[in-house]
Every structure is written in structure tokens, then in C-alpha cells.
Amino acid sequence: MTTTPSRFPDGFLLGAATASYQIEGGAREGGRGPSIWDTFSATPGKVVGGDNGDVACDHFHRWAEDIDMMVELGLEAYRFSIAWPRVQPGGTGEFNPEGIAFYRGIVDRLVEKGIKPLITLYHWDLPQELEDRGGWLSRETVDAFVPYAVRMVEEFGVDVEMWTTFNEPWVSSFVGYGAGAHAPGHADDVEALTAAHHLNLAHARAYRAMKAVNADIQVGLVNNCHTPRPWDPSNPKDIAAAAHIDALANTMWHQPFIEGSYPEVLAPNTAHLTDWSFVHDGDLAEMKGAVDWFGINYYASHVVRHNPNKAAAQSELATLADGHKAGANSPWAGDEEIEFMPPTGKRTAMGWNVDPSAFHAHLLKTHRETGKPLYVTENGSAWDDVVDEDGRVRDADRVDYLHGHLDAVLKAIAEGADVRGYMAWSLMDNFEWAQGYAKRFGIVRVDYDTLERRWKDSAYYYREVLRRRELVPAEEAERLADTPPRTF
Ligand code: FCB
């Protein structure tokens, strides 16, 4: 029997991740323009509790202290996103020097403290003006994204090696335009496919333009993965159902950049919806080769089956299993006869299941399919955390989740997957999109009344992983934490 090494390889980056709209606040400060998430959050019924990102974690004012906290945690890397409407309020035209200065401060401090910045250019906060002109349904947005990306590399490319164009374009297109559960809240299968293609095209064009400014940067694309396993692995219809979901969720976001094509099953499976004329001659050729690495965001696993009567059978839990929140429509174009099964096993506060084995399998699969360096750009879990009388947040479930998933990464590396980093989601509790502040993913707790940051047990546990650069047994978490815990 072989045992998995418990040490992370030299050069493997351990860090944490956040995103602009989820933590910054300062929504109307420093010259920031409105984004589709401001509009969506202000629309009654769209976000749980009517929450919005106006204040969020107030990172806009507390960023320097937040970086000091990262230093205390021992983070080697920090993945964050630039809010496009903060640096270019209308999405085209004038850039906003105050917005650029905000990110300059963050980058400089990270570099000074020896924390490697990973910049995401687009984590869902599209300038509202671009949405008003068609958003990702229009090639105008593709054209607008490229000069924004170029300008950011001109500003920060010397200090920042690792860049991501898009975070989870599947969510932007299929949840934002297909299901309607995220901004801009459209519910149309063909719009979802159109937006998906335009996001891929924008990635490819931005990739080439960014590399032309600075050939030393590494430009990747971050995808959320679904791991659709067939309910009955001996049933060809269940296998075909899983293949369709795999194509929409995973392959269509990397095959174009490797082979210059979309997965073969997509056109026939969606022929009743669209002729794919939104793909123009030359688009796929532009995509081929336009990527240096892939980011993988993993949360939960999925089982699907063929079911022609699924409308009656689809449970609320199963609907949750495939995304962030149920919308007016399913996010999966062409899934009229495909059913997501309710998740089995332990479930987080999101209703997502805990399944490190699917993570391990997905890392190996993506390695086989792409041959590119992989970074885990998000992985984590939400739980109904409680502050105990002594001030501690004993989030043993989050510690177990971290332990199990770090172990899965180490196993995948031992079996040959080229995984080069792991960013925990999230550094701190934040605005969880359509779920508002109700779901807490942080290893650091945020009190939304006082904005105080408080280390949960999982923060201490992760600090120890970083210190030793090896998998720390989950049982040690209890004794690693201070009582009362550190607050910032
Ligand atoms: C991912 C998002 C991230 C966060 C986690 C829970 O899909 O990229 O912003 O919401 O889910």
C-alpha cells in the first residue's frame, strides 16, 4: 500500500481568496461606478434578506489591516479581484485614477509583505453601463474587456505574475443569463450559451493582448467544476446525461483553448434551442492556445440521471445541488430530460455535499484533459457558525472539510496531477451573492454590525498548515486556537 505524502511540494502556493463585490463595500466611494450586482441586489426578492454589497466587509477602508491579518496567518498568496467599475466606471472610456490607486496600495503592500498576489479581472461585477448595452450577449462587451485587461497589466504586470481573466464564466453565463439566479437575472437558455461563448472569446482576446504587454505574466482561466457522475453507471442514458452536464460545466471552458473546438455533444444536444450562429468564423481559432494555466474552484459533487418526467421529481435540494440558488429556469441548456439527484452524505449550510473523493478525481481528470498547470483557486465550506461564550468559533466541520480537501490535493499530486497551489475560500465571511450574508465561508468571522474580524478555529488550523507546509491532523485544531481568539 502506498501512503500519500503529507508535505506540500516546494513552490506549491498556499493562500486564500476573496472577490471585490463580496468584501469591498465602498460601493459609491472613490469614483466607483455601478455594477450589475448593485442593480441586482437592489431588486426586491433577488438576494436573501435584501442584502447588498454597499458595505460588505468594508475592505475598501480596512484593506491595510486585512493584509496585516494575512501576514499573521502566514499566507503565501492572496487571490483577489479588481472591480472593473471601480477602475473604469462605465466599462469603456476614462479610467478612474482613484480606483487604480486603491489596487496599487493593495499590490504594493502584498509585495512588501512577501505575499504573492493573484489578480482576477472579472469576478462578476460588470459595469452596469455595459449591461445596458447588451452585457455579455453583445460583442461590444468582449471589445470593452480587452482594453480594461491591458490597462491593468500595464499598471500591475511588473509586480503581479499570476492573472485570471474570468472567475467561473459558467456562473456568469448559465446562472446569470440562464437561470436568472444571479445578475443580470435573465432566464433564457440561448442567452446563456451566447454569453458563454462571448466570455470565452473575451478571455482569448484579452489573453493575447495581455501577453503582448508583458510576456512574463501567466494568464489563466478559473472554472468552477461540477462532477456529474451517472446515477446508474451501466445505463447509457445516464452516462449521456452526465456527459452533457460535463460538457456544459467543464469541457466547454477548456477544450476551446486547448483544441480550438467545443465538445462534440453540445451542438446536437442543444439543436432544438439554437444553431450556434453566435459562434463566428475564426472565433475558435482565436481561442486555441490562449491559456497558460487553469484555476479550479471546487465545492461539492454531483450525480445525474436521465429522467423524461423530471419536473415532477426535481426536489429543492437537488436544485440547490447544481448551483448557488434556484432561479426561474434551470441553468443547464438542453437538460429537459436530465435530473440532478439530491446530494448524499454530509451537507454544508449551502446544501452542498462534502466529497473530497470527487475533488481528487476532478483534479486528475482536468490534468489529463488539459495538460496545463492547475491551481485550486477556491475551495471551502459554509456552516452555521456559533460564537461560544469564551469567544471561540469552534468550526470543526470547516476544519474537517479543509483537511479532507487538502488531503485530496496531495493525493492528486502524488498521482501525477500538476497542481501548484491552493487558495482557501474564503479569507473571511462575506457577501455570498444571492444568499446575502446568511452563508459564512470564512476562516475568519466577520461581525457585520461592528465589522470586527475574529479568527475561527479553522484560521488557526490553516495557519499551522502554512507553518508546517504539511497536512495537519484535524484533531489538532482544538488545541491550536487561542482563547479568546484574535480579533482585528
Ligand atoms: C464560487 C464563487 C465565490 C463564492 C463561492 C462560494 O462559485 O466564485 O465567489 O461565492 O462560490
Side-chain angles (χ1 to χ4, degrees):
M1 207 180 84
T2 53
T3 51
T4 308
S6 67
R7 283 193 66 75
F8 291 96
D10 290 346
F12 185 92
L13 275 183
L14 285 160
T18 64
S20 50
Y21 191 71
Q22 296 182 274
I23 64 164
E24 283 181 7
R28 277 170 282 280
E29 289 176 71
R32 177 183 176 277
S35 83
I36 56 173
W37 268 95
D38 297 289
T39 310
F40 191 74
S41 311
T43 312
K46 296 297 184 192
V47 176
V48 170
D51 293 344
N52 61 53
D54 284 359
V55 177
C57 306
D58 195 32
H59 179 71
F60 184 66
H61 296 113
R62 295 165 195 251
W63 60 271
E65 294 86 339
D66 284 339
I67 294 176
D68 292 345
M69 188 173 78
M70 295 176 211
V71 173
E72 303 280 320
L73 279 165
L75 296 191
E76 298 165 357
Y78 173 52
R79 171 177 182 250
F80 65 99
S81 77
I82 291 179
W84 186 355
R86 195 178 283 295
V87 296
Q88 193 183 26
T92 53
E94 289 293 295
F95 282 87
N96 170 29
E98 249 189 285
I100 293 176
F102 170 65
Y103 296 108
R104 179 85 260 164
I106 291 176
V107 168
D108 283 351
R109 197 172 183 99
L110 289 170
V111 170
E112 179 198 320
K113 305 285 184 191
I115 299 175
K116 189 168 171 131
L118 274 70
I119 290 185
T120 303
L121 287 170
Y122 186 87
H123 201 124
W124 308 350
D125 37 7
L126 183 72
Q128 181 61 41
E129 275 187 38
L130 288 176
E131 177 58 30
D132 295 342
R133 299 211 295 275
W136 288 109
L137 302 176
S138 163
R139 284 183 181 237
E140 253 190 72
T141 303
V142 177
D143 293 338
F145 184 72
V146 179
Y148 155 59
V150 163
R151 179 63 185 269
M152 292 305 103
V153 175
E154 285 166 355
E155 294 287 346
F156 305 118
V158 171
D159 299 305
V160 180
E161 183 200 10
M162 297 291 293
W163 292 77
T164 299
T165 50
F166 294 102
N167 177 71
E168 302 188 356
W170 178 84
V171 173
S172 299
S173 48
F174 288 94
V175 182
Y177 290 88
H182 274 194
H186 301 197
D188 184 295
D189 289 332
V190 181
E191 286 194 9
L193 290 166
T194 310
H197 178 64
H198 289 161
L199 284 156
N200 274 344
L201 190 60
H203 165 82
R205 290 191 181 162
Y207 171 90
R208 296 194 197 286
M210 291 163 79
K211 300 282 283 195
V213 175
N214 185 334
D216 296 333
I217 61 170
Q218 298 298 308
V219 182
L221 180 61
V222 167
N223 293 312
N224 57 308
C225 45
H226 289 82
T227 58
R229 286 183 277 212
W231 170 249
D232 173 357
S234 66
N235 179 345
K237 290 193 167 169
D238 286 3
I239 294 173
H244 181 62
I245 299 301
D246 184 43
L248 286 173
N250 303 312
T251 339
M252 79 172 289
W253 307 103
H254 56 67
Q255 189 173 317
F257 307 109
I258 307 290
E259 292 170 25
S261 61
Y262 278 122
E264 258 177 44
V265 296
L266 282 184
N269 286 357
T270 57
H272 58 297
L273 299 170
T274 173
D275 60 5
W276 287 67
S277 52
F278 48 79
V279 180
H280 295 182
D281 283 352
D283 287 355
L284 283 157
E286 274 190 73
M287 292 179 196
K288 191 171 179 176
V291 76
D292 297 324
W293 58 276
F294 285 105
I296 290 185
N297 295 352
Y298 175 87
Y299 290 93
S301 66
H302 310 93
V303 175
V304 298
R305 73 171 172 192
H306 175 252
N307 181 359
N309 306 312
K310 75 155 192 188
Q314 197 76 356
S315 71
E316 172 68 14
L317 250 186
T319 314
L320 268 180
D322 67 7
H324 282 252
K325 191 163 170 272
N329 183 28
S330 146
W332 304 101
D335 72 338
E336 294 81 1
E337 300 194 346
I338 299 175
E339 180 187 11
F340 272 73
M341 305 309 287
T344 49
K346 187 173 170 180
R347 284 196 302 271
T348 71
M350 292 292 277
W352 299 347
N353 70 351
V354 178
D355 186 357
S357 72
F359 183 31
H360 162 253
H362 188 80
L363 290 169
L364 288 165
K365 173 179 180 285
T366 313
H367 169 69
R368 275 195 310 274
E369 289 174 352
T370 71
K372 292 285 177 189
L374 305 177
Y375 288 80
V376 177
T377 33
E378 286 179 27
N379 173 242
S381 55
W383 302 97
D384 296 325
D385 297 326
V386 175
V387 183
D388 289 338
E389 260 173 39
D390 58 6
R392 289 265 295 275
V393 181
R394 293 181 167 80
D395 58 341
D397 286 324
R398 189 174 286 102
V399 170
D400 280 345
Y401 185 100
L402 262 171
H403 175 272
H405 289 75
L406 286 167
D407 185 43
V409 172
L410 284 167
K411 282 203 174 81
I413 295 173
E415 290 163 33
D418 185 6
V419 189
R420 301 191 183 177
Y422 176 94
M423 305 296 129
W425 185 271
S426 177
L427 173 67
M428 55 188 157
D429 294 338
N430 56 49
F431 176 78
E432 180 42 43
W433 307 112
Q435 302 285 359
Y437 296 101
K439 304 293 178 207
R440 295 178 175 272
F441 275 91
I443 56 172
V444 172
R445 181 181 175 86
V446 174
D447 178 324
Y448 293 113
D449 293 324
T450 62
L451 295 166
E452 176 199 76
R453 281 84 161 124
R454 170 181 301 254
W455 285 18
K456 303 178 190 177
D457 281 12
S458 57
Y460 287 94
Y461 172 79
Y462 196 45
R463 182 179 69 171
E464 191 64 11
V465 170
L466 279 146
R467 254 192 207 154
R468 298 196 214 158
R469 289 189 55 82
E470 67 182 22
L471 192 62
V472 175
E475 305 73 59
E476 289 188 32
E478 171 62 31
R479 67 161 187 81
L480 289 169
D482 298 335
T483 310
R486 308 194 56 158
T487 53
F488 288 78

